[in-house]
Amino acid sequence: MTPETVLQLIVMLRRAGVTDKRVLEAMEQVDRARFVPATFRDRAYEDVALPIGAGQTISQPSVVAQMSAALEVGPRDTVLEVGTGSGYHSAVLSKLARRVYTVDRHRSLTREAVATHQALGIPNVTVMTADGSLGWPQQAPFDRILVTAASEDPPGPLLAQLGENGIMVVPVGVSGPVQTLVKVRRTASGFDYDDLGDVRFVPLVQGIEPDVRSGRPGQ
Ligand code: SAH
């Protein structure tokens, strides 16, 4: 990526209303083109979702920015992402957090994401192929949980794996094409919910996708 394109992406995000300095700096460090199939690479710096295979998409940069800002990730935080997809959002989070765990039900996607993270020298992201609606119990509790696929309600196992004062950002509602982005905060006595506006995500689907071409797990 040439410096111009990084700047184009950041200028575009600022125009879209993104003000969080740490998020903008993190996104400046991650070349979105590396996470996009070659046929769409010329559109990598546009504010659009793009196909990444397996019927899935890499999210719009402005949505990645909005969700990352809403998560309020600190440098000592451990983050769980459900829905690795291309691995782009976890790469952005890796610049904000201490450690990122990310899980996807498509082995073909986790394999590709691991390869991209390795090629970029990102050391603090761990990828797993599994049903992420169950969370990652071995690594819980998490300071932050990001869900990048839509579900009817915030999944119970994820709420259970959110540490005290933890924040989860999750698209909620699967009856139509548009969902509400919800920010959940765990308090000493329960959960607080805030609506952050409309978003469009692929649905959270139960179970692991059978992948006949796969050799071994994502990691
Ligand atoms: N964050 C991604 C984009 C996510 S697209 C990026 O940066 O590119 C949503 C992803 O959620 C898809 O890859 C889909 O396979 C995954 N997904 C859907 N249901 C899932 C589940 N139950 N567990 C884990 N991943 C799931």
Side-chain angles (χ1 to χ4, degrees):
M1 177 166 61
T2 64
E4 288 81 6
T5 55
V6 186
L7 280 181
Q8 275 166 21
L9 188 82
I10 299 305
V11 167
M12 180 272 289
L13 289 172
R14 284 185 189 281
R15 284 204 186 116
V18 179
T19 53
D20 190 308
K21 201 162 164 281
R22 286 189 71 233
V23 168
L24 288 168
E25 278 169 9
M27 291 183 72
E28 197 173 339
Q29 290 175 61
V30 181
D31 183 1
R32 188 167 182 256
R34 300 290 291 265
F35 297 85
V36 166
T39 33
F40 297 108
R41 211 149 278 165
D42 57 337
R43 306 196 62 193
Y45 310 114
E46 294 177 26
D47 197 19
V48 288
L50 294 168
I52 53 171
Q56 309 302 320
T57 54
I58 179 173
S59 312
Q60 253 179 281
S62 60
V63 173
V64 170
Q66 182 198 11
M67 292 176 109
S68 303
L71 265 187
E72 301 177 31
V73 184
R76 282 185 295 277
D77 286 346
T78 299
V79 183
L80 172 67
E81 180 195 36
V82 176
T84 311
S86 66
Y88 174 65
H89 206 155
S90 50
V92 170
L93 293 172
S94 79
K95 308 295 180 191
L96 297 164
R98 185 175 63 80
R99 174 148 287 281
V100 180
Y101 294 91
T102 181
V103 49
D104 203 287
R105 59 187 294 280
H106 282 278
R107 188 154 285 149
S108 56
L109 294 177
T110 53
R111 234 184 2 231
E112 192 76 21
V114 167
T116 309
H117 291 158
Q118 271 169 5
L120 295 177
I122 295 172
N124 58 337
V125 180
T126 309
V127 185
M128 175 167 74
T129 310
D131 181 352
S133 61
L134 305 174
W136 194 319
Q138 298 83 352
Q139 302 298 341
F142 298 98
D143 302 302
R144 302 288 183 261
I145 298 179
L146 173 70
V147 187
T148 63
S151 60
E152 196 54 72
D153 291 301
L158 299 185
L159 289 172
Q161 290 172 35
L162 191 60
E164 195 171 323
N165 298 317
I167 295 173
M168 170 157 63
V169 173
V170 52
V172 169
V174 287
S175 48
V178 177
Q179 304 100 31
T180 304
L181 191 62
V182 175
K183 177 171 177 172
V184 184
R185 196 186 291 266
R186 185 168 203 156
T187 65
S189 56
F191 297 96
D192 285 344
Y193 296 85
D194 271 323
D195 287 357
L196 303 180
D198 289 350
V199 282
R200 276 167 197 270
F201 276 90
V202 297
L204 193 71
V205 178
Q206 304 285 307
I208 298 180
E209 180 71 14
D211 181 358
V212 288
R213 289 160 307 162
S214 77
R216 49 186 196 88
Q219 201 166 296

